[in-house]
Amino acid sequence: MTNEQLMMEAKKARERAYAPYSHFQVGAALMTKSGKVYHGCNIENAAYSPGNCAERTAFFRAVYEGEREFEKIAVAGGPQGREADGLCAPCGVCRQVMMEFCDPQTFQIILADGKGGCLQRSLKELMPLGFGPESLGGG
Ligand code: THU
């Protein structure tokens, strides 16, 4: 699936966003190495901090289903009532969750570029000197 197609899936997932507090709706589409796509949306909470981002919703759904090998994720986010065509980069907590399950060199994050297209960055680019499972090895 192309980056543009995966972004369309993220936009579809965004329709499920539950964001009554921020009114900022986000969708994510996570593609496994085998080509399967898992969708996620942000899910907020009246107590605020228990809210979950779209990216983590997608990862946790996929991991629950037994997936461990991921290729890329597209993220579409923006204020409710508007097209999600601006840059919506994953928060630090979501980047850390990606570090757990993805190779930072190869895993790609696809974002809207604000000009009708997509831009792509590796997890390594978004998380330089990141801490991951390898870091616990003492090397
Ligand atoms: N949010 C995401 O779901 N993903 C991002 O990449 C950035 C932020 C959510 C969290 C919260 O529900 C809302 O967007 C506003 O921060």
Side-chain angles (χ1 to χ4, degrees):
M1 183 176 281
T2 65
N3 289 352
E4 288 71 23
Q5 286 168 328
L6 198 61
M7 182 58 74
M8 290 302 292
E9 294 300 313
K11 285 183 179 174
K12 263 192 246 168
R14 182 174 175 253
E15 291 170 19
R16 298 278 171 89
Y18 177 74
Y21 306 107
S22 72
H23 306 289
F24 190 89
Q25 298 180 314
V26 188
L30 173 63
M31 198 180 102
T32 66
K33 286 189 180 165
S34 66
K36 216 168 157 207
V37 176
Y38 290 86
H39 300 83
C41 64
N42 57 333
I43 304 168
E44 298 185 345
N45 189 281
Y48 289 17
S49 65
N52 206 50
C53 289
E55 296 90 322
R56 274 177 287 148
T57 303
F59 264 93
F60 295 158
R61 291 184 74 200
V63 171
Y64 175 74
E65 296 296 336
E67 303 287 356
R68 286 288 193 284
E69 304 269 302
F70 301 104
E71 188 169 323
K72 56 185 177 179
I73 190 169
V75 185
Q80 190 177 319
R82 282 202 245 148
E83 186 70 25
D85 48 12
L87 186 73
C88 176
C91 79
V93 175
C94 289
R95 293 178 199 203
Q96 186 62 39
V97 167
M98 292 174 197
M99 286 295 293
E100 189 65 27
F101 296 106
C102 307
D103 177 349
Q105 307 274 6
T106 58
F107 186 72
Q108 301 294 320
I109 294 140
I110 316 304
L111 305 171
D113 66 4
K115 294 179 273 184
C118 292
L119 63 83
Q120 172 175 322
R121 292 287 183 277
S122 69
L123 178 56
K124 176 95 182 157
E125 287 174 291
L126 295 193
M127 199 73 169
L129 297 179
F131 189 92
E134 316 275 280
S135 312
L136 291 174

